[in-house]
Amino acid sequence: LEALRTARPAQLCYRGPNPMNWNKSMLDDVPLHVVADPSMDLMLLEMNSLTTFPHNLTRLTCLTELWLGHNHIRTVDPEPLVAMTCLELLSLSCNEIEELPTTLSCCTELQQLICAANRLTGFKEGTLGGLENLVHLQLPYNQLESLPEDLGSLPSLRTLFANNNRIARLPERCDGLTSLEVLHLHNNCLGALTTGISSLCSLEVLWASYNSIVELPPGLEHCTSLTEIKLSHNALDDLREPDRGILKLPGLTRLHIHRNRLLEVPDRESLHQESGVADIG
């Protein structure tokens, strides 16, 4: 009983069904015995009391999934990421991270980066460069004022969630995002969408409600894969050319444009006949 009273939280932690599961274990650090097996490919460390990125994880060179969400991590040590060349999924959501190190670019096999609900304000140049296999990028609920320019050179990226930030501008060049299908930009500070958005040939879903967008960029009608556009709660005042180009999209079935400054709202029936839009709001 005395041993139990004096034991540190890490010694009393719940070890879960397997040695990879250390969720809810009251850890404020990662002891060596947790990372004793270098062949482990999955590590669950969510809902603990970690304040820094665990340095001992460098021992797990075969790690493909690392879950560190719901901790109190403020800084991410750049060194551990250099060794994580096999990492495919990294979850850092619900922490207090202000900046990601540029060594993240060493994780060239990374496919999913989940960094929602932190305190990110921006990215250093080169942080995302080299992540050519990145498929899903989640950055909502941070304090981002812009997105990095090298974001436009991620050829495998299919989903980008950057909603609920403070983003006022987007990268000018997007032509490298040839696989992007879903783009969430709602609840930001955008006054306009970048003209480069017209090069997103695979884009299917665009959510940009709750911004301050005055007009749409020319060429949006070239995004012929678009099926859903949400632009409600902006400052659009006209859907004549070039803005009316979105009504020419062949696959568009859902268009939300309410709560703008439109002087003329397209008639539902004529809009459906003209462009096939079934849901307009």
Side-chain angles (χ1 to χ4, degrees):
L1 288 174
E2 184 60 25
L4 288 174
R5 290 193 198 100
T6 58
R8 291 175 56 80
Q11 293 175 277
L12 294 172
C13 62
Y14 166 64
R15 286 170 172 74
N18 59 59
M20 303 173 185
N21 188 348
W22 293 84
N23 289 343
K24 296 184 178 179
S25 298
M26 297 184 292
L27 293 174
D28 57 12
D29 197 4
V30 177
L32 288 176
H33 66 271
V34 173
V35 293
D37 182 2
S39 66
M40 284 194 294
D41 60 359
L42 168 66
M43 178 59 70
L44 304 173
L45 289 165
E46 301 214 315
M47 292 172 281
N48 282 289
S49 300
L50 301 171
T51 58
T52 60
F53 195 94
H55 195 274
N56 285 342
L57 293 177
T58 56
R59 296 169 174 262
L60 304 180
T61 55
C62 297
L63 208 60
T64 59
E65 287 191 31
L66 176 57
W67 297 81
L68 286 166
H70 297 272
N71 279 281
H72 304 285
I73 298 173
R74 290 187 288 272
T75 59
V76 179
D77 188 344
E79 186 177 344
L81 292 173
V82 175
M84 296 183 178
T85 55
C86 297
L87 199 62
E88 297 177 3
L89 183 150
L90 175 59
S91 175
L92 296 166
S93 290
C94 300
N95 280 286
E96 301 167 23
I97 300 168
E98 296 181 2
E99 186 176 74
L100 294 174
T102 56
T103 52
L104 181 66
S105 61
C106 296
C107 304
T108 54
E109 298 301 316
L110 197 63
Q111 298 177 23
Q112 298 187 57
L113 176 58
I114 308 168
C115 203
N118 276 279
R119 298 177 181 175
L120 295 175
T121 58
F123 290 85
K124 288 184 178 178
E125 184 178 354
T127 302
L128 299 179
L131 300 182
E132 295 187 356
N133 293 304
L134 192 64
V135 177
H136 304 291
L137 178 57
Q138 297 187 24
L139 300 170
Y141 295 97
N142 278 282
Q143 300 172 22
L144 295 170
E145 297 181 358
S146 63
L147 293 174
E149 290 296 328
D150 52 3
L151 181 69
S153 59
L154 301 177
S156 302
L157 195 66
R158 291 174 55 189
T159 62
L160 171 57
F161 296 165
N163 52 285
N164 293 85
N165 278 281
R166 303 172 182 174
I167 298 171
R169 66 177 182 85
L170 298 172
E172 285 300 319
R173 297 200 60 183
C174 302
D175 52 334
L177 296 173
T178 54
S179 302
L180 192 65
E181 298 174 355
V182 179
L183 178 57
H184 285 188
L185 295 169
H186 48 286
N187 292 90
N188 276 290
C189 304
L190 292 168
L193 295 173
T194 174
T195 55
I197 205 169
S198 62
S199 63
L200 302 180
C201 56
S202 300
L203 192 64
E204 298 177 7
V205 176
L206 172 61
W207 288 9
S209 298
Y210 292 94
N211 279 282
S212 302
I213 299 171
V214 177
E215 62 180 4
L216 300 179
L220 196 58
E221 67 273 15
H222 299 313
C223 300
T224 54
S225 298
L226 271 170
T227 62
E228 182 177 326
I229 300 177
K230 292 188 178 182
L231 291 165
S232 58
H233 294 270
N234 276 287
L236 295 170
D237 60 7
D238 200 345
L239 277 184
R240 291 178 296 185
E241 301 294 348
D243 295 346
R244 199 173 175 83
I246 63 174
L247 306 181
K248 300 176 182 177
L249 291 167
L252 190 64
T253 59
R254 180 172 295 173
L255 175 63
H256 288 188
I257 52 174
H258 60 280
R259 294 299 179 94
N260 276 280
R261 300 174 181 174
L262 295 172
L263 300 176
E264 179 183 354
V265 179
D267 176 75
R268 289 173 182 265
E269 185 174 347
S270 61
L271 181 58
H272 179 63
Q273 293 175 350
E274 179 182 347
S275 61
V277 177
D279 179 11
I280 179 171

